[in-house]
Amino acid sequence: MTDAESLRLRIYGQLAAEGRVDGVGALAVQFSSTDADIQVLLGELAAQRHLVLAADGIVELAHPFGTRDFGFSVKSDRTLWWGGCAWDSFAIPHLVPHASPALVATTCPNCGAAHAWNVDREHPPEGSQVAHFLTPMAHVWDDVIHACENQRIFCDEVCVDGWLGRTGSRKGSVFDIPTLWRLASHWYDGRLSRGYRRREPVEAATYFRDAGLSGSFWGN
């Protein structure tokens, strides 16, 4: 039998190295445990907001990594990942030791235009596109899958407005690519190490402000 933190490290380590995670049965074999015990620990990690589980109990998100297509691919010279959202996709090259630079690719949710950036740890990539986050930070975990699926990158604000009109959604926060890069650059620092601690709301609000994001949407 293992513990939740060891299981978390195992899942994150494999996602960082391979862009995938083993199923419950394989994890149980590795830890000389049972499927039921692993599922209990996965539930504990989900309750602590380290993981997001799909309805069938498998890992769907382990921020910044997705286990399915959330609209973003992230490719280094050795690994291909699904990014959980715009934020997460720009974070992977900062978090994973061998991932900088990485090619982050997506399509505009409004017009379908393809976009790609070489993202590294040194400087924000060039680009006139804009990020649009639909869900205010205080409500992201009300439905984290919906929130992540709606942290996207658009061609420009015209495309943002077109998508909002078509979907009937209310405008969230719109900001440029350098701000997205700053937001992503240190958000997950330490996540691949034992004892990682998620930021408390006050710490998060300060981090957002330092990245150039302020106002009620960002809780500061």
Side-chain angles (χ1 to χ4, degrees):
M1 181 62 181
T2 188
D3 59 90
E5 178 65 354
S6 295
L7 180 60
R8 185 189 73 81
L9 289 172
R10 166 63 174 77
I11 289 169
Y12 271 86
Q14 185 178 21
L15 280 165
E18 303 176 21
R20 56 175 293 274
V21 63
D22 288 329
V24 170
L27 292 170
V29 169
Q30 179 177 350
F31 286 110
S32 301
S33 189
T34 67
D35 289 11
D37 287 338
I38 294 297
Q39 204 66 65
V40 167
L41 293 177
L42 288 173
E44 182 179 333
L45 291 169
Q48 296 169 355
R49 298 182 176 177
H50 289 301
L51 303 175
V52 180
L53 303 180
D56 56 4
I58 66 170
V59 176
E60 189 167 11
L61 278 169
H63 298 293
F65 309 107
T67 62
R68 64 168 177 85
D69 185 0
F70 281 84
F72 292 85
S73 63
V74 182
K75 182 183 180 298
S76 73
D77 62 353
R78 66 183 77 175
T79 307
L80 176 65
W81 298 272
W82 293 122
C85 57
W87 185 352
D88 285 352
S89 299
F90 271 55
I92 288 173
H94 294 275
L95 177 66
V96 179
H98 66 263
S100 178
L103 181 68
V104 176
T106 190
T107 56
C108 175
N110 183 60
C111 71
H115 299 292
W117 306 265
N118 284 310
V119 180
D120 63 31
R121 300 176 184 175
E122 304 304 322
H123 306 286
E126 295 182 359
S128 59
Q129 302 88 351
V130 297
H132 174 261
F133 286 16
L134 183 66
T135 306
M137 291 300 104
H139 297 287
V140 164
W141 284 92
D142 295 351
D143 185 344
V144 68
I145 294 296
H146 178 263
C148 290
E149 288 177 332
N150 288 283
Q151 293 180 350
R152 299 296 300 272
I153 300 177
F154 293 76
C155 298
D156 48 34
E157 289 207 51
V158 173
C159 270
V160 172
D161 292 340
W163 179 84
L164 291 170
R166 182 162 48 81
T167 61
S169 301
R170 186 175 180 179
K171 198 168 194 173
S173 180
V174 180
F175 48 98
D176 61 18
I177 294 298
T179 303
L180 175 64
W181 182 87
R182 290 194 301 272
L183 172 66
S185 60
H186 294 290
W187 179 251
Y188 292 116
D189 283 359
R191 188 140 225 185
L192 301 181
S193 301
R194 183 171 291 276
Y196 171 79
R197 182 181 66 84
R198 297 178 70 253
R199 286 180 176 84
E200 296 297 331
V202 172
E203 295 175 293
T206 299
Y207 179 92
F208 299 149
R209 188 182 302 110
D210 290 345
L213 295 162
S214 60
S216 59
F217 185 98
W218 296 95
N220 57 40

